[in-house]
Amino acid sequence: MLFWKENAKAESCLVCGESRWKLVEGQKTDGAVQGKIENKVPRKALRYFPLKPRLQRLFMSSKIASDMTRHHDRRLKDGVLRHPADSEAWKHFDRSNPGFAEHPRNVRLGLAADGINPFGNLSVSHSTWPVITTVYNLPSWMCMKQPYCFLSLLIPGPKAPGNDIDVYLEPLIDELRELWYCGVDTFDASRKENFCMRAAFLWTINDFSAYANLFGWSTKGALACPSCNKDTPSTRLKYGRKFSYMGARRFLSSNHKWRSNKRDFNGEVERRPAPKILSGDVLSQLLTLGDMKFGKTQKKRKYEKGKDTHNWRKKSIFFRLSYWKNNLLPHNLDVMHVEKNVCANVIGTFLDIEGKIKDNLNARRDLKEIGIRKDLHPTQRDGRWYYLAACYSLSSEEKSKVCKFLKMVKVPNGYSSNISRWVKSEDRKIYELKSHDSHILLEQLLPFAIRGVVPKNVYDSLS
């Protein structure tokens, strides 16, 4: 629980009964203090930085105050996506909340959250979660700059909050409710007048694991896809001992050639349309969850197979915002995180890096079990397994060529880090790429590195 508002003076948790304070010398286990009061040390301290004064300060500068309405007054409206205001999610929000949309000075916000290790490269298992709020009223070349990305919460470690992140988000959600219903009196320096400023969250941005914590839908198991929801197509791999999701082709256009490609996918023609966007169905599913109690001492909810046909773990605290259930795109995936994982897997498979390669014996046995890609099936002789090299497998000489090319790459200052530092030519491996480096490598450098080394069909898939 959060020792806040009516519980600000409580000495112990109302959920588990644990003391609010660390056990220090001169303090009993029940929380009673024998020494001085100022010796009390809290078990964990949440740092919250109010949003209202920082939003008000944006309007104290006549230049920034003018930019805060640029999305409405001076935006080019030709159907090209240049700014979040051009997106369908923004337009849908305006249609759903016309009273909010008619005042362009009302602030549209986004939220980003993820875990970081503040101890750098030290071998310390620690996860501190900063929660960043972004102002989308500003032009696209300003809204992502550091001065306009506000640190709203700092959730301390050493462990990630997991589903309990809703407890830490309570002060922020409470302030957002005030900004939605009441607003705050603000002086606009560009127009020399006071107005009632309101604010609303449009969406969150996070990686796939944080998506589960903020949305409440578990991104693991047979129903891991939040978009497909309870209709997620998944297959449990017998030898890989993980789930495989082969329904991505349903998101393609109805006449796409890959929809009828049986050989390179799961052996079936894909005719299903893309899943419908969830709306009121979400709230109807959440009714089955009942009350959710947060806390590390709480036992995990058990789901009986066949009884619950969904992957919900909680009703997100964002649903306390009255407009949240109608948002077209409440949660976004951070592309850089996804792209970094894809790049690591592609490079690991090309260069046969231990722990990163996805083409192994278990993967080949699963292909044989499913009955697809017969040219990649393994065979067993004399108690040992054998399988042919795939079309994307590189010889030692070809791996050296790829690494040599990347080792010689030079880029302008600020374009990316010096990627050649992470290339180990003698080991034919690449290590420690950051998210932006992975983007540059996968999108721009890798197609040149593998050109003439891999077959045309492999090159076309990656270029």
Side-chain angles (χ1 to χ4, degrees):
M1 64 168 281
L2 201 64
F3 294 94
W4 180 59
K5 285 191 171 181
E6 64 273 10
N7 298 321
K9 296 184 179 181
E11 293 293 320
S12 60
C13 177
L14 302 180
V15 178
C16 63
E18 286 287 331
S19 173
R20 176 179 180 175
W21 314 104
K22 289 183 179 180
L23 297 179
V24 294
E25 187 177 354
Q27 184 174 358
K28 297 180 181 179
T29 56
D30 60 358
V33 180
Q34 295 178 344
K36 297 181 180 180
I37 295 179
E38 55 264 25
N39 290 335
K40 289 184 176 180
V41 179
R43 290 178 180 267
K44 185 174 287 190
L46 171 68
R47 288 165 176 83
Y48 175 61
F49 308 96
L51 196 57
K52 291 178 185 176
R54 287 187 283 182
L55 294 180
Q56 288 176 310
R57 280 199 294 270
L58 292 176
F59 287 94
M60 293 178 67
S61 166
S62 58
K63 177 64 172 67
I64 299 177
S66 176
D67 287 333
M68 288 291 285
T69 59
R70 187 187 182 95
H71 67 91
H72 179 270
D73 303 334
R74 290 172 286 168
R75 178 172 56 89
L76 185 61
K77 302 176 183 179
D78 58 354
V80 178
L81 184 61
R82 299 184 178 90
H83 184 272
D86 298 314
S87 67
E88 185 58 33
W90 185 298
K91 297 174 183 177
H92 181 271
F93 182 86
D94 286 351
R95 291 192 296 267
S96 302
N97 305 280
F100 183 91
E102 67 180 356
H103 301 290
R105 287 182 291 191
N106 287 338
V107 184
R108 275 84 166 176
L109 302 170
L111 179 143
D114 199 4
I116 62 169
N117 186 348
F119 301 103
N121 295 326
L122 298 176
S123 57
V124 177
S125 178
H126 192 102
S127 181
T128 294
W129 280 58
V131 178
I132 309 294
T133 303
T134 306
V135 180
Y136 287 120
N137 287 49
L138 295 167
S140 55
W141 58 88
M142 291 177 65
C143 62
M144 291 292 106
K145 298 295 185 181
Q146 184 177 349
Y148 312 109
C149 295
F150 304 140
L151 178 63
S152 295
L153 289 166
L154 190 61
I155 304 174
K159 296 182 179 179
N163 271 344
D164 296 334
I165 194 173
D166 285 17
V167 177
Y168 300 99
L169 289 173
E170 283 184 17
L172 179 59
I173 298 300
D174 187 71
E175 187 175 17
L176 284 168
R177 286 168 58 87
E178 292 180 13
L179 285 169
W180 175 257
Y181 289 112
C182 306
V184 59
D185 192 46
T186 305
F187 177 72
D188 186 341
S190 65
R191 303 185 185 183
K192 308 298 182 183
E193 64 181 18
N194 281 17
F195 73 101
C196 180
M197 179 187 65
R198 298 170 63 198
F201 262 163
L202 296 184
W203 50 62
T204 69
I205 303 175
N206 35 256
D207 61 9
F208 208 47
S209 58
Y211 189 117
N213 298 332
L214 293 172
F215 187 38
W217 177 275
S218 176
T219 53
K220 299 177 181 178
L223 304 178
C225 179
S227 298
C228 298
N229 200 257
K230 59 184 179 182
D231 299 321
T232 301
S234 61
T235 303
R236 177 72 178 180
L237 301 179
K238 180 178 179 181
Y239 300 103
R241 297 180 181 179
K242 60 179 68 175
F243 282 96
S244 175
Y245 309 95
M246 298 187 179
R249 287 184 295 164
R250 63 189 300 193
F251 291 92
L252 299 173
S253 58
S254 58
N255 60 346
H256 199 282
K257 62 180 181 180
W258 283 1
R259 279 183 170 268
S260 56
N261 187 342
K262 296 181 180 181
R263 178 185 177 277
D264 295 331
F265 293 95
N266 59 353
E268 300 177 359
V269 176
E270 181 61 80
R271 299 300 183 197
R272 295 173 300 171
K276 295 181 179 180
I277 297 176
L278 298 175
S279 55
D281 296 339
V282 171
L283 294 179
S284 62
Q285 292 178 13
L286 290 172
L287 292 176
T288 62
L289 286 178
D291 295 331
M292 177 72 181
K293 291 184 178 181
F294 297 103
K296 296 299 183 184
T297 61
Q298 298 295 319
K299 293 182 179 179
K300 291 185 178 181
R301 185 188 299 269
K302 294 183 179 180
Y303 293 85
E304 296 180 10
K305 188 175 180 179
K307 181 180 179 181
D308 295 307
T309 58
H310 48 72
N311 238 23
W312 292 106
R313 294 297 181 263
K314 66 177 181 180
K315 183 177 180 179
S316 173
I317 193 173
F318 287 100
F319 284 105
R320 294 186 187 177
L321 303 172
S322 59
Y323 53 85
W324 191 257
K325 63 181 182 294
N326 298 319
N327 282 7
L328 184 65
L329 191 64
H331 300 279
N332 294 268
L333 287 175
D334 181 3
V335 178
M336 298 297 281
H337 277 83
V338 178
E339 197 171 31
K340 183 178 187 296
N341 294 336
V342 172
C343 180
N345 292 333
V346 170
I347 295 297
T349 301
F350 269 144
L351 301 181
D352 195 11
I353 300 176
E354 185 178 356
K356 297 293 184 180
I357 185 171
K358 298 302 177 182
D359 184 16
N360 51 39
L361 177 58
N362 287 334
R364 297 295 185 96
R365 295 182 69 183
D366 282 323
L367 290 177
K368 186 175 182 179
E369 180 73 17
I370 298 173
I372 59 175
R373 302 299 300 270
K374 294 183 179 180
D375 54 314
L376 299 178
H377 290 183
T379 56
Q380 190 175 23
R381 298 192 301 270
D382 301 328
R384 299 187 64 180
W385 287 96
Y386 299 88
Y387 54 87
L388 298 175
C391 58
Y392 45 79
S393 299
L394 303 182
S395 64
S396 297
E397 183 181 353
E398 291 170 335
K399 293 176 189 176
S400 297
K401 288 182 179 179
V402 172
C403 290
K404 183 179 179 181
F405 175 87
L406 296 176
K407 190 73 174 177
M408 297 173 61
V409 167
K410 294 182 180 180
V411 296
N413 185 33
Y415 184 79
S416 71
S417 70
N418 186 3
I419 294 179
S420 63
R421 290 186 301 175
W422 316 123
V423 180
K424 309 299 180 184
S425 300
E426 60 278 5
D427 299 330
R428 297 188 289 271
K429 290 178 173 57
I430 303 176
Y431 298 104
E432 300 179 359
L433 288 175
K434 302 296 183 183
S435 294
H436 182 67
D437 297 334
S438 298
H439 168 75
I440 296 297
L441 177 60
L442 187 63
E443 296 286 340
Q444 301 181 22
L445 299 181
L446 187 61
F448 290 102
I450 63 175
R451 187 169 57 182
V453 176
V454 297
K456 186 176 185 302
N457 61 326
V458 178
Y459 177 79
D460 289 343
S461 300
L462 292 172
S463 62

